[in-house]
Amino acid sequence: MQNISDYNFNGKKAIVRVDFNVPLNDKFEITDDTRIRAAIPTLKKVLAGGGSLIVMSHLGRPKGVTEKYSLKHIIYRVEELLGVKIQFADDCQKAQEQAAALKPGEVLLLENLRFYAEEEGKPRGLAEDATDEEKKAAKAAVKESQKEFTKVLASYADCYINDAFGTAHRAHASTALIAKYFPNDKMFGYVMEGEIKAIDKVLGNPERPLTAILGGAKVSSKIGIIEHLLDLVDNMIIGGGMAYTFKKAQGGKIGKSLCEDDQQELALRILDTAAKKGVKILLPGEVVAADAFSNDANTIVCPATEIPDEYEGMDAAPSSVEAWKDVLLSSKTILWNGPVGAFEMPNFAKGTNAIAQILKEATEAGAFTLVGGGDSVAAVTQMGYSDKVSYVSTGGGAMLEYLEGIELPGIKAIRE
Ligand code: AMP
């Protein structure tokens, strides 16, 4: 594997997998260009080094060629940010001539890779009543044609850069399979480098104490992360909807709060494992409970183990946040994933916003703070603190899998 900072791009064509999967409104206007902006330093590096670019991405989840998901809608913004005119290939598999004609400093954007089933390697258009045999045959067929699809993409360039952290947990043609065609000329882009460095700073050899704050709705969706982190952290704050499964398992009265009854045994096992490993678990003491899942509901503050029957826990109460704050401000490394309340409703966003505030203070005091996962990133962004914490991850699913200790295919393909 090569390093983008040292690689000589002079006269080379670089094929770069970026994540231009940006949200568009009804008029196909970009409503958040964060992902495009994130990729610009990598693209500029190649051009400044005398190379040319073949840029590839997916947009949305099309099941074939779909106007709505055409990458041509976003060209204007890439041109503005890069300051270079973009050429466009209407079909990512028929760009040989355009790629071959590229001169140093020129940029060719390929149409949405997912217009082809081969990008993901998953069969499409299977009849609902398809038999297992038919499904198996269709899967084998698309896997076979995926090889040719990948080879065509690879044929456009001299080197490959993966800068799409958001899809690094997928073993797709453009994110992983293509790397083998560039055994000596493959590398991470700056987005990937930044993400890997930030997560390794937390999971690799962190400055201690290391505290994780885990929130969100369900224990079941975070179990892999909890188990992996129990081997690494000193403290684990468990907030949000999933805290109530723990509280009920411990014999608490949680009213109508979110609860996964089938996960209670697991919750007790987690607490037991944590105790054996010397990991301090902090659940909310008091919570804000409401008599309906609505912003205008009546609310009370009560212990998380004494929630009245008609009420449900909606947010961490100020006293809980205060208790967490002591632990957070004495931590040297903090990882945050998931809101500690139903934060989409302003009346129940106070706990989550307070966490964002504490992370800002901890960062100012010298801690390394990493925020990952869609909702906690949204909370930090809403508070205007994206640049007040050490690192905000751009990859939702990829980040979660990384935290589970899974080696992401997009990272493995570059490293091996
Ligand atoms: P997840 O996708 O598992 O990270 O969960 C995120 C969701 O959990 C958000 O939509 C929050 O509104 C929700 N959530 C967090 N705390 C609570 C709670 N106490 N009651 C209901 N929903 C919650």
Side-chain angles (χ1 to χ4, degrees):
M1 113 179 213
Q2 299 284 343
N3 185 319
I4 183 170
S5 298
D6 311 331
Y7 191 81
N8 181 3
F9 290 104
N10 200 14
K12 298 246 175 76
K13 293 187 169 76
I15 189 158
V16 189
R17 175 54 155 105
V18 293
D19 183 1
F20 281 173
N21 183 30
V22 290
L24 301 176
N25 64 16
D26 294 346
K27 292 186 203 134
F28 301 121
E29 291 158 346
I30 299 164
T31 54
D32 179 357
D33 66 358
T34 308
R35 287 174 172 164
I36 301 180
R37 276 187 286 112
I40 296 299
T42 292
L43 303 182
K44 281 194 168 159
K45 169 74 182 165
V46 175
L47 298 180
S52 55
L53 285 166
I54 297 118
V55 182
M56 57 179 173
S57 178
H58 76 284
L59 175 63
R61 292 183 172 164
K63 292 283 167 265
V65 179
T66 324
E67 167 70 11
K68 187 175 154 193
Y69 294 116
S70 172
L71 277 169
K72 67 175 184 250
H73 302 308
I74 65 145
I75 293 177
Y76 77 98
R77 192 68 189 123
V78 186
E79 286 182 337
E80 281 168 10
L81 289 167
L82 199 56
V84 175
K85 183 107 191 80
I86 308 280
Q87 302 171 39
F88 189 64
D90 294 322
D91 183 334
C92 68
Q93 284 285 285
K94 298 200 176 114
Q96 285 88 349
E97 283 178 22
Q98 285 169 287
L102 280 178
K103 295 192 202 60
E106 292 186 341
V107 184
L108 173 67
L109 175 66
L110 304 183
E111 181 55 290
N112 195 340
L113 298 162
R114 290 195 190 166
F115 282 1
Y116 283 90
E118 282 77 6
E119 162 63 359
E120 295 176 273
K122 278 197 234 143
R124 285 180 184 160
L126 265 176
E128 270 186 26
D129 57 356
T131 61
D132 284 350
E133 286 288 286
E134 285 165 337
K135 284 184 194 157
K136 225 167 120 188
K139 195 165 173 201
V142 75
K143 285 281 175 205
E144 192 52 38
S145 54
Q146 190 181 40
K147 290 180 192 157
E148 189 53 33
F149 177 87
T150 312
K151 205 162 147 188
V152 170
L153 293 177
S155 73
Y156 300 156
D158 306 303
C159 59
Y160 166 64
I161 304 175
N162 188 353
D163 210 19
F165 183 71
T167 47
H169 57 317
R170 306 286 182 218
H172 293 169
S174 69
T175 61
L177 306 186
I178 191 172
K180 76 163 193 235
Y181 291 95
F182 303 93
N184 302 312
D185 300 278
K186 56 183 180 176
M187 65 206 92
F188 296 125
Y190 291 122
V191 174
M192 286 283 267
E193 268 188 10
E195 295 276 355
I196 294 169
K197 215 169 121 197
I199 304 178
D200 284 350
K201 221 167 155 168
V202 175
L203 303 186
N205 191 14
E207 264 203 78
R208 295 187 181 274
L210 163 61
T211 300
I213 314 163
L214 297 177
K218 293 182 168 175
V219 186
S220 54
S221 65
K222 300 276 163 84
I223 181 63
I225 298 178
I226 296 177
E227 285 182 334
H228 185 58
L229 291 181
L230 279 181
D231 281 330
L232 305 169
V233 302
D234 302 295
N235 309 297
M236 184 180 285
I237 295 172
I238 299 182
M242 67 180 180
Y244 302 100
T245 301
F246 287 84
K247 290 287 179 182
K248 187 169 176 191
Q250 289 175 314
K253 254 178 77 221
I254 60 163
K256 290 195 300 180
S257 304
L258 267 185
C259 182
E260 291 173 283
D261 282 329
D262 58 344
Q263 302 292 322
Q264 286 188 52
E265 219 170 282
L266 180 75
L268 290 178
R269 225 171 44 233
I270 289 169
L271 295 175
D272 190 46
T273 309
K276 285 187 183 130
K277 290 183 189 288
V279 175
K280 187 168 174 193
I281 301 266
L282 294 104
L283 289 156
E286 285 189 320
V287 294
V288 178
D291 62 357
F293 194 72
S294 148
N295 192 44
D296 308 320
N298 296 309
T299 61
I300 53 168
V301 172
C302 61
T305 47
E306 289 170 38
I307 301 176
D309 289 347
E310 293 311 306
Y311 280 72
E312 58 190 301
M314 298 287 273
D315 196 8
S319 61
S320 295
V321 175
E322 273 307 305
W324 295 342
K325 186 174 177 174
D326 289 341
V327 172
L328 290 168
L329 291 184
S330 58
S331 299
K332 288 273 174 19
T333 309
I334 303 173
L335 165 71
W336 181 21
N337 173 266
V340 298
F343 85 116
E344 293 89 344
M345 291 178 259
N347 286 339
F348 306 109
K350 294 185 186 113
T352 300
N353 288 345
I355 297 287
Q357 176 71 31
I358 295 167
L359 257 64
K360 170 182 174 274
E361 288 170 29
T363 314
E364 283 164 358
F368 182 80
T369 52
L370 168 62
V371 183
D375 289 318
S376 18
V377 171
V380 168
T381 310
Q382 266 169 34
M383 296 280 284
Y385 290 166
S386 307
D387 55 358
K388 302 273 191 278
V389 294
S390 309
Y391 198 84
V392 177
S393 174
T394 56
M399 167 81 171
L400 296 183
E401 290 198 19
Y402 206 141
L403 293 179
E404 282 186 48
I406 297 170
E407 190 176 17
L408 307 185
I411 293 179
K412 189 167 172 228
I414 296 285
R415 283 186 174 153
E416 69 190 3

